[in-house]
Each structure stands twice: as structure tokens, then as C-alpha cells.
Amino acid sequence: MDLLVTGGTLLTMRGDQLGIVDDGAVGVTDGRITYVGDAVEAPDPSDADEVVDAEGGVVMPGLVNAHAHTSHTLLRGGAQDVPEIEWMNRALGPLSAHADEADRIAGARLGVMETVRGGATTVCEYADEVGTLVEEVYQPLGVDVVAVETINEVPDDRSDLGPRELYPFDREQGEEALSRADELFEAFSDDPLVTPAYGPQALDMVSPDLLETVQRHAKERDAKLHLHTAQGEREAIQIEERYGADESTVSVLDDLGIVDETLVAVHCHGATPSERERLANDGASMLGCPSSIAAIDGIVPPVAEFSDYGAAVGVGTDQAPGPGHHSMFREARTAATLSKVKHTDGTALTAWGALRMATVGGARALGIDDEVGTLEEGTRGDLIVVETDRLSTAPAVNSPMHTAVPNLIYSTTGREVRDSFVAGEALLRDGEFVDADPEAVVAEATERARALYDRASENWREAGSELVDAVDAGWL
Amino acid sequence: MDLLVTGGTLLTMRGDQLGIVDDGAVGVTDGRITYVGDAVEAPDPSDADEVVDAEGGVVMPGLVNAHAHTSHTLLRGGAQDVPEIEWMNRALGPLSAHADEADRIAGARLGVMETVRGGATTVCEYADEVGTLVEEVYQPLGVDVVAVETINEVPDDRSDLGPRELYPFDREQGEEALSRADELFEAFSDDPLVTPAYGPQALDMVSPDLLETVQRHAKERDAKLHLHTAQGEREAIQIEERYGADESTVSVLDDLGIVDETLVAVHCHGATPSERERLANDGASMLGCPSSIAAIDGIVPPVAEFSDYGAAVGVGTDQAPGPGHHSMFREARTAATLSKVKHTDGTALTAWGALRMATVGGARALGIDDEVGTLEEGTRGDLIVVETDRLSTAPAVNSPMHTAVPNLIYSTTGREVRDSFVAGEALLRDGEFVDADPEAVVAEATERARALYDRASENWREAGSELVDAVDAGWL
């Protein structure tokens, strides 16, 4: 046995509840879990190469950050507190247009290390040329990644088009992106930590024919199709103009045969309740980014509803400009808190529901629940040890209830994550990266961000978002 | 000069905006700020007994936790994810009834140290026999406290009364509490860090006559009257029954002459928009606890609205069972995020608005803004140094905008607070308590919590909240 983590309270996520084991142990051999259960019945510690004492803590599956564009972490703090209509084109856009490939890598490295520091061991990364981020960031760090290649047929700069003018489609551009997605499967076929997937960006950004082609490619490779679905008014107008006034994103997807178990529907806040139910009933899974959609749109994504429909639901941190962070415990808390106010009900999305959503829920939605998201014999050795005896999380009581369950969600700062392992290899020990240098990563990102803002400053000011006024008034 | 903090970006909160000073310095002499401004014009560091290098960080007023019942921190994780109607009487009550004085002190010590670790230097503590907490917790730690003595005339156990049965009033009990409140002013007259105040608990829990008496005592001492105001349906029914079907909490308070600049109205989510506006226009200030009210009631308190009306508004963490935490950066983020979804508007309660609310806003609402909440010459030397070059908060860019402003609110875990000073005395240096032992505090709280839950277990189970079912089902 390579690793034995012993002595903590296990939240295995086995079965339909949390699978709580007091004074439990987890053993990992050759990257896979070979023991989960009571510590007293575990293999002898002397037979393990490495023994981790988790007493006074919780041992649980590593968190699954189910939807993130981490490159934008370089622009954290650059675009928030603006009207939704300004966010993309007048606040973030004038900055991100100046990012080069090295900037995108530096931003992704910062974002991925942040999310790992907070307990994530799997990230679903959605990016153009995502393979570069896998090679430059994920593989060196040893983090599980679902690598989604963005596929669209529209020009990056659409600022000269009115909202009712249809985006032009460039099939060649879409085919090139599809080829990049296809190539991921060969490029990373020997790395079990990389799961490629297809990312047709949104229904207003790909033609029906290409979308069907992408779906066929996905099904041939038993891969998922990640689609930003019903993202709001801008998209809804495009769909009306292209497909008719009675059509919506979900109705068109339905007609095209896209709604099935291959579909991973992201966001969904623009779908009606009956459309959401239809997506769930037809086997689609859902990914929500509560902090992001709340920050940018002032809307609570329907993660609680999808979960009630029985769909697989994961949560993710999206991009840092807006929500600000890549911390999965914080995201889970935000999902629960926002769901409660959406439904005026303190029982809407409980701590235990949010814990499942941030682990096995995300893994199911991404189609990787045979590998991650639970602690079970045979699954990958992805797990974290979280201290529950800190100022922020104490007191830990196991009877008559486990206070750690709510406290993990509602109380953690994210800095209680002590140890983290992927396939049994340590990413974090005692809260420190084993094989990465956060100070150097922060320093590089800061230097690059300063240079980028400097290059972008004039364009940013010309774009004239409300943030320009805020700066001039002494607010920002 | 006793202390010179030099080299960071200052957010002074002077004037109506953030009072940003790049490369600034703050000097403290005899507990008071004697220099604020550019570092290059600051007194020579060799003239200061202690010099703190804040380069790469933000220097700002210590955060003001404007409403908290910290004793309940011992029960963190004990009552949440239940229907609002169960929270007090069937979830928290059966546990808190078993807390003794030592438990309450241990819980308060845990909660106060947690909030200090996250950047608070002032806490408004609302408790029965609050003087004991001041002596046992606040004075030993050296933390600023607004000490509010709870005053009510109702029995603790009201579980045998139907919702439309009027609570009986015990004037003697109320007078005793009023005397305790009066005595605070003499007991702590020689401690500038203690500001006593009066806490008539809520309009349904005190008689009009006692409330008027309390107000008179408050005005005689130039103190504030903190009143939980319009807390929801349970209170509204009592007011109807006692004062008539056309009356509400705010209408009765108005008739009694309680609504003026002495009133600090807490929560206010049950008040109508026009009542809120009336409270604000008549000079009352407001305290909101967004995490708590969202967790327990599924409601967003009207902090953004009160702020728009021009009222002084602070935010606080209330009690840990429910919201789970006493972190003020987290509370400020929650206030902003919840306000955005309440108004379906990404610009509702901005990062800069939330920063002011968590500092000078709270200080104004508590009536102590001459002392704390801003960095100005003559105010108390209460300040914090926050690192903005961490994985969670980088990159820090100062041009064309200060990314630290949004990142403090939306990105901090709370563990970026490096140094903290009250009246120039260090509470935290390099993230560690200078003169307190968190491990011992956590250990005592944990031991006491376990014993308390053990004593309370049978009563808790008999009370039969939904949490009992959750435990039995394997969720908790």
C-alpha cells in the first residue's frame, strides 16, 4: 500500500447520502483506492509507504470544480460591479483582448493553484486551445482535468453588430476547433488524469449542422458535449432571429436531438422551469456557477431545481472577473445560500446537498464518477484532509450529529484544507504545495497583469464602462 | 511615534469614497492616528518604536462586525438547513438551553477570535449579561466592543404559547436587565475600548412603557438603542394581537417616538419599503446580517436599500448556528452577492459599497465613527494589513484601477489578514495572535461543545426538528 490516511471522519459519498464513517481510514495502492472503512480494520500502517494522520479532521473526495475558465484569473478584479450588458464587451473584453498565450497560461496556473489550495482535485477547464493549458498547467501540477475545447463559428469581435443582427458563421473556424478537440483524445490518451470533451460554445455561436457533427464526434468517443445553454437575453434574441419567434434555445436543441445524456448544459438560467425539467428528464446533466451568475447577472442559477429533478448537477467557479475566486467550498456555500433566498426557504440546498454537488454531483455531471467524486474501492485516490479544529470551523462534534457537515460548507475559509492527493500523489501537505511554488506563480501573474493593464488601459477607457466613472470618482 | 505602517495601498475611507492612497503610511502615537498620507512625506521610520512594512498589501481600518451574538459559536453546525419556524425552538433552543455561563464564555472567545483573525477589530456584542463577556473575552483580547445588554420582559420558554397568544410581560425582569445595562456605563467608564449600549430585544418582547424608559436612559447617556426590528411573521402576529390589526412594528415604534437617531434598527426584513424609508429618513441607522437571515429565513436583508436612502448601515455576522461564521470579509461579500440577486442587478451593492459598509458604515451606525472605521488623524489606531499577493487575491494592479478593491470583497478567504492593531496594539502579526492561544481556545470550546451536546441530546431528539430525520437518514 502506497498511502494510508487514517483517523479522521470519512465522508465517502458512497450510496445516496454522505457515507459517514467515524474514525475511518483510506488506503491507496498504485493510484487507486484499495481500502475504505473503519480505521481499526484497516491494513497495518507499517505496511504503507506513507501514513497520514487525519485525526481531528475530515477525509473526503477531492472537490470537483466543474466549470472554469481559469485563464481569466489574470484579470481578477478587472470586471465586476457593472451592468450585465457591459460586462463582456465594455469591461472584460477591452482587457482580455490584450492577453497573449503566456498571459493565458500564467492566469490559468494562478487559478488552478488557487482552486487546488482550496480543496479541488479535479477541474473542468473550458478554453480555446485547451491542450496547451493541459500541457503547461495541469500535467505539471498533477491535477485531474476535464479538458473542454471551445468550438464556435463566430468572430471574436461582434461589437459592430446590433443585438438583432445575426452573428455570421465561419464553418472553417468551427471545423478547426472541432479538429483540435478530436486531437485531444489522441494527445492525452496515455494520461488517465486527462478527460477530453467537446465544447460547442452556445447555440447562438454554432450552426445546427456543426452542432450535430460535434455531437456525433462526442458519441463516437463516449465523450460529453458541454454547451452554455440559455445564458440569457442576448442569446435568446439571436435564437429568435435565427430560428423564429416561438423558438428558444432548449426547443431548438430538442428539435436537433441534442438533448440527451451526452449533453452537459451549463448555466441554464435563461431556460423556463418546464424546459429545465425537460433537460433533466431527457438525461442531460447541469453545471452551475452561482457566484459568477449572481455577480454578473444578479441571477441565481437553477442548481437546486435540477438537483430536485434528479439530474446530475455540479458547480464551478467560472472565471475570476466577476465572482472573484476559484474556491470550491466557497462556491458550494454560495450555491446553498443563493438557493435559500431564491426559494425563500432555509432548507433549499442543504449543506449535505451542497457537499454532494461539489463532489460526486460534479463527477456524475462530467461523466467521470467511476473515477472521482467518491471514496470507494477501485476509484482514483483523489482525496483531501480538512481540519475541523480551527477557529473558523470548530467545534467538531460527532454526536448526535456531525457538525462538520454544515461547517465544511458554511464555515470554512478554504484554508482548512491540510492535505490533498490525486491518484495517491500529494499535491498539498500541511497546507503547502509539495511540488509547486505559489509565490513565483503570483509574482509572474502580477507582473504580466500589470503589463497587460498597461497595454489595455487606453482601450479600456475608450470602451467607457461604468468602471471608468468609478475610477474617476475615487471608488476603484 | 509608537507605530508606523508604511508602504501599502491605503484605503482610508476618509470622505465619501475610499480615500485611496498609493504607497501610503499610517503613524500611531499613544493609541491614536497621528499621520496618514504618502509614505515619502511620513515621519522618519527611525523615529517609530515599531515599523511595519506593508508593501504589496492594503492598509485599511479594522473591520466592524456590527451585530453578533458570539456565545452561540459553541453551537456552530447545530442549527441550519431547517425550516425557519423550527430554527429557534426545535433546533437551536434544545441545545442552547443546556449552555452554562462557562459555555457562553468559551463560545464567545472562539467567535471573537475568529472574527479578529478575519480582520475585525470592533465587535458589537448583543447578549444577556454582556458585561461578563466584556471582562472575560473582549478586555483580555484587547478588542473594541460595543456592549449591548439584552433587555426583555418575556419568559425564555414560550413554547407552550400559540402564535396568537400574547407573550406575558414581567416588568421586574425587564428592569433588572435595564439596571445591568445602566451599570455597564460605570463599570467600563475607564476603558475607551468599551462602548455600552441598550438592547431592548424586540417590540414584541418589551412593553411600550419600558421601551420609552430605556430610550430615556439611552439619551441621557448619549448611547444607542439597538432593537431587532420587524424580524418577520412571528413578531408581526404579536404586534397585531397587542396593538391592533392595522399596526406594524414600525408604526408602533413611530407612535411611541422611538424612531430617531438613537435607534439602531437590526434586520428590518419584515418592514415594508415605505417603512424602511421612514426609518432612514427619521435618522435611524440599520444593521443587517445577510448570511444569517439568508440561512435561516431565505431572505435578503435590505442593506442596499437602506444605504441608498442615505442611512448609516453596518453588517454583522449574527450567531454562528445558521450562517456558520464570523468572517467580516465573507459577510461583506455575501451582502454584495445577495443584494445583486435581490435586485437582479450586478451593480447592486458594489465592492466599494460593501467595503464602506464593513468599516465606516458600521462605525456610523454604531455611533462610534469619531473613533473607528476610518484612517484619519485623531481616530483610534485600529487598522489591518491585508496581503493582496496571495493565490486567492492576486494580481494586485493599481492602474488604471485598483483591483484590490473588488478582490478584498470577492476573493479573500479571510486568511490574507496579516497584521491587526487596536489602538496601535498588535492583535495579529504575520497572521498569528500576538497574545492569545487559538489552539487552546478551540480545544476548550470543543470539549465543552461535546459535553453540551451530550447533555442536550435527548431533548434535542424529542424536539423533533427535521435535523433529527437528517441524522437518522445518514445526512448529518
Side-chain angles (χ1 to χ4, degrees):
Chain A
M1 182 167 283
D2 300 319
L3 172 69
L4 182 68
V5 181
T6 184
T9 298
L10 305 188
L11 305 180
T12 64
M13 306 295 161
R14 285 186 296 195
D16 292 330
Q17 284 82 35
L18 301 193
I20 303 172
V21 181
D22 288 316
D23 194 20
V26 182
V28 181
T29 308
D30 294 335
R32 300 218 157 251
I33 293 176
T34 48
Y35 179 82
V36 189
D38 291 334
V40 290
E41 292 170 22
D44 197 289
S46 64
D47 292 337
D49 291 346
E50 186 173 12
V51 177
V52 173
D53 180 1
E55 206 186 314
V58 163
V59 181
M60 61 180 289
L63 303 174
V64 177
N65 190 342
H67 185 77
H69 312 278
T70 61
S71 289
H72 279 153
T73 313
L74 202 76
L75 300 172
R76 168 160 42 211
Q80 55 289 305
D81 299 319
V82 290
E84 187 273 335
I85 198 73
E86 293 190 355
W87 182 78
M88 174 57 76
N89 293 327
R90 296 173 74 183
L92 184 62
L95 300 173
S96 63
H98 288 268
D100 61 22
E101 186 180 63
D103 291 333
R104 287 191 290 272
I105 292 169
R109 197 173 282 131
L110 177 64
V112 174
M113 285 181 68
E114 183 203 355
T115 202
V116 167
R117 181 66 193 86
T121 53
T122 300
V123 180
C124 177
E125 177 72 65
Y126 201 114
D128 285 327
E129 304 187 18
V130 70
T132 304
L133 301 183
V134 173
E135 286 168 8
E136 296 289 332
V137 179
Y138 286 92
Q139 290 185 316
L141 288 169
V143 176
D144 271 324
V145 58
V146 176
V148 187
E149 181 71 31
T150 306
I151 299 168
N152 70 45
E153 295 171 271
V154 298
D156 282 349
D157 184 357
R158 304 181 296 276
S159 60
D160 56 334
L161 295 173
R164 295 210 167 264
E165 286 181 80
L166 284 178
Y167 302 158
F169 285 157
D170 176 346
R171 179 64 178 246
E172 193 178 335
Q173 173 185 320
E175 292 285 352
E176 283 171 13
L178 175 58
S179 296
R180 283 199 300 275
D182 288 339
E183 286 159 15
L184 296 171
F185 290 82
E186 285 172 39
F188 301 108
S189 62
D190 62 348
D191 188 341
L193 302 189
V194 182
T195 304
Y198 292 86
Q201 191 167 347
L203 184 62
D204 55 328
M205 299 186 184
V206 289
S207 58
D209 186 57
L210 182 65
L211 186 56
E212 289 170 327
T213 305
V214 174
Q215 188 199 43
R216 198 171 60 245
H217 285 227
K219 286 185 183 291
E220 282 166 11
R221 288 170 177 81
D222 199 19
K224 293 283 188 183
L225 188 152
H226 292 239
L227 183 80
H228 295 89
T229 303
Q231 294 196 79
E233 193 62 13
R234 187 195 47 72
E235 174 180 331
I237 291 170
Q238 286 282 318
I239 299 304
E240 269 181 40
E241 290 296 323
R242 193 177 297 277
Y243 298 101
D246 293 340
E247 299 291 344
S248 68
T249 294
V250 175
S251 72
V252 175
L253 291 176
D254 229 3
D255 291 345
L256 294 173
I258 301 295
V259 183
D260 62 15
E261 68 289 341
T262 297
L263 178 65
V264 182
V266 184
H267 299 325
C268 300
H269 50 278
T272 65
S274 69
E275 288 177 337
R276 293 167 188 171
E277 195 164 1
R278 201 181 333 157
L279 288 168
N281 287 342
D282 288 350
S285 51
M286 188 216 159
L287 303 178
C289 302
S291 295
S292 177
I293 302 303
I296 298 165
D297 302 81
I299 292 177
V300 181
V303 292
E305 294 93 318
F306 267 85
S307 201
D308 287 344
Y309 297 145
V313 180
V315 283
T317 57
D318 222 357
Q319 72 297 302
H325 72 95
H326 292 294
S327 160
M328 280 303 299
F329 278 124
R330 201 182 325 177
E331 197 57 42
R333 171 180 183 262
T334 304
T337 304
L338 290 177
S339 295
K340 290 175 195 312
V341 303
K342 182 175 186 183
H343 298 282
T344 321
D345 178 2
T347 71
L349 194 51
T350 56
W352 48 90
L355 271 172
R356 280 188 65 89
M357 208 173 265
T359 53
V360 63
R364 280 181 61 208
L366 299 172
I368 55 173
D369 51 319
D370 286 347
E371 292 289 309
V372 308
T374 60
L375 302 181
E376 297 189 81
E377 285 179 33
T379 62
R380 192 176 295 154
D382 286 12
L383 53 100
I384 58 176
V385 181
V386 190
E387 294 185 330
T388 53
D389 57 356
R390 300 277 193 91
L391 285 177
S392 49
T393 49
V397 172
N398 283 355
S399 170
M401 69 191 72
H402 292 84
T403 57
V405 170
N407 292 349
L408 283 171
I409 294 297
Y410 299 128
S411 312
T412 43
T413 65
R415 291 301 171 263
E416 299 79 5
V417 177
R418 194 190 74 184
D419 306 306
S420 162
F421 300 88
V422 168
E425 296 291 323
L427 302 182
L428 298 171
R429 292 303 308 270
D430 292 325
E432 303 285 341
F433 282 87
V434 172
D435 196 26
D437 182 352
E439 283 184 24
V441 169
V442 165
E444 193 199 349
T446 302
E447 191 183 327
R448 289 197 161 276
R450 288 175 181 169
L452 188 159
Y453 278 80
D454 201 41
R455 293 196 298 278
S457 185
E458 202 175 309
N459 290 157
W460 175 81
R461 192 163 270 281
E462 284 165 359
S465 77
E466 289 189 6
L467 295 180
V468 177
D469 300 331
V471 166
D472 292 342
W475 286 117
L476 185 60
Chain B
M1 182 166 287
D2 300 318
L3 171 69
L4 182 68
V5 181
T6 184
T9 299
L10 305 188
L11 304 181
T12 65
M13 305 296 160
R14 284 187 296 197
D16 292 330
Q17 284 83 33
L18 300 193
I20 302 172
V21 181
D22 288 316
D23 193 21
V26 182
V28 180
T29 309
D30 295 334
R32 301 220 157 249
I33 292 175
T34 48
Y35 179 82
V36 189
D38 291 334
V40 290
E41 293 170 22
D44 196 290
S46 63
D47 294 338
D49 291 347
E50 186 174 12
V51 177
V52 172
D53 180 0
E55 205 186 315
V58 163
V59 181
M60 60 180 289
L63 303 174
V64 177
N65 189 342
H67 185 76
H69 313 278
T70 61
S71 289
H72 279 155
T73 313
L74 203 75
L75 300 172
R76 168 161 41 210
Q80 56 287 306
D81 298 319
V82 290
E84 188 272 335
I85 198 74
E86 293 190 354
W87 181 78
M88 174 57 77
N89 293 328
R90 297 173 73 184
L92 184 62
L95 300 173
S96 63
H98 289 267
D100 61 24
E101 186 180 63
D103 291 333
R104 288 191 289 273
I105 292 168
R109 198 173 281 130
L110 176 65
V112 175
M113 285 180 68
E114 183 202 355
T115 202
V116 168
R117 180 64 192 86
T121 53
T122 300
V123 181
C124 176
E125 177 71 68
Y126 201 115
D128 285 328
E129 304 188 20
V130 71
T132 304
L133 300 184
V134 173
E135 287 168 6
E136 297 288 332
V137 178
Y138 286 93
Q139 289 185 315
L141 288 169
V143 176
D144 270 325
V145 59
V146 176
V148 187
E149 181 71 29
T150 306
I151 300 168
N152 70 46
E153 296 171 271
V154 297
D156 282 348
D157 183 357
R158 303 182 296 276
S159 58
D160 57 333
L161 294 173
R164 297 212 165 261
E165 288 182 80
L166 284 177
Y167 302 157
F169 285 157
D170 177 346
R171 179 62 179 249
E172 194 178 331
Q173 173 187 317
E175 293 285 352
E176 283 171 12
L178 175 58
S179 295
R180 282 200 300 276
D182 288 339
E183 286 160 15
L184 296 172
F185 291 82
E186 284 171 39
F188 301 108
S189 61
D190 62 349
D191 187 341
L193 303 189
V194 182
T195 304
Y198 292 86
Q201 191 166 347
L203 185 62
D204 56 328
M205 299 186 184
V206 289
S207 58
D209 187 56
L210 181 65
L211 186 56
E212 289 171 327
T213 305
V214 174
Q215 189 199 43
R216 197 170 61 246
H217 285 227
K219 286 184 181 293
E220 281 167 11
R221 289 170 177 81
D222 199 19
K224 293 283 188 183
L225 187 151
H226 291 239
L227 184 80
H228 295 90
T229 304
Q231 294 195 79
E233 193 60 15
R234 187 194 48 70
E235 175 180 331
I237 291 170
Q238 287 282 316
I239 300 305
E240 270 181 42
E241 291 295 323
R242 193 177 296 275
Y243 298 101
D246 292 340
E247 299 291 345
S248 68
T249 294
V250 175
S251 73
V252 175
L253 292 175
D254 229 2
D255 291 345
L256 293 172
I258 301 296
V259 183
D260 62 14
E261 68 290 339
T262 296
L263 178 64
V264 183
V266 184
H267 299 324
C268 300
H269 50 278
T272 65
S274 69
E275 288 177 339
R276 294 167 187 171
E277 192 163 4
R278 201 182 331 158
L279 288 167
N281 287 342
D282 287 351
S285 52
M286 187 215 160
L287 303 178
C289 302
S291 295
S292 176
I293 302 305
I296 297 165
D297 301 81
I299 292 175
V300 181
V303 292
E305 294 94 317
F306 267 85
S307 201
D308 287 343
Y309 296 144
V313 180
V315 283
T317 57
D318 221 358
Q319 72 298 302
H325 72 96
H326 292 294
S327 161
M328 279 303 296
F329 278 124
R330 201 181 329 178
E331 197 59 39
R333 172 180 183 262
T334 304
T337 304
L338 290 177
S339 296
K340 291 177 196 309
V341 303
K342 182 175 185 183
H343 298 282
T344 321
D345 178 2
T347 71
L349 195 51
T350 56
W352 49 90
L355 272 173
R356 279 187 66 89
M357 207 174 265
T359 53
V360 64
R364 280 181 60 208
L366 299 172
I368 54 173
D369 51 317
D370 285 347
E371 292 290 308
V372 307
T374 59
L375 301 181
E376 297 188 82
E377 283 178 34
T379 63
R380 192 176 296 154
D382 286 12
L383 55 100
I384 58 176
V385 181
V386 190
E387 294 186 330
T388 52
D389 56 357
R390 300 277 193 92
L391 285 177
S392 50
T393 49
V397 172
N398 283 355
S399 170
M401 68 189 74
H402 291 83
T403 57
V405 170
N407 291 348
L408 284 170
I409 294 297
Y410 299 128
S411 311
T412 42
T413 64
R415 292 300 172 265
E416 298 79 5
V417 178
R418 193 190 74 184
D419 307 305
S420 161
F421 300 87
V422 168
E425 296 290 323
L427 303 181
L428 298 172
R429 291 303 309 271
D430 291 325
E432 304 285 340
F433 281 88
V434 172
D435 196 25
D437 181 351
E439 284 184 23
V441 169
V442 166
E444 192 198 350
T446 303
E447 190 182 326
R448 289 197 162 276
R450 289 176 180 169
L452 189 159
Y453 278 79
D454 201 42
R455 293 196 299 278
S457 185
E458 201 175 309
N459 290 158
W460 176 80
R461 194 162 269 282
E462 284 164 0
S465 77
E466 289 188 6
L467 295 181
V468 177
D469 300 329
V471 166
D472 291 343
W475 286 116
L476 186 59

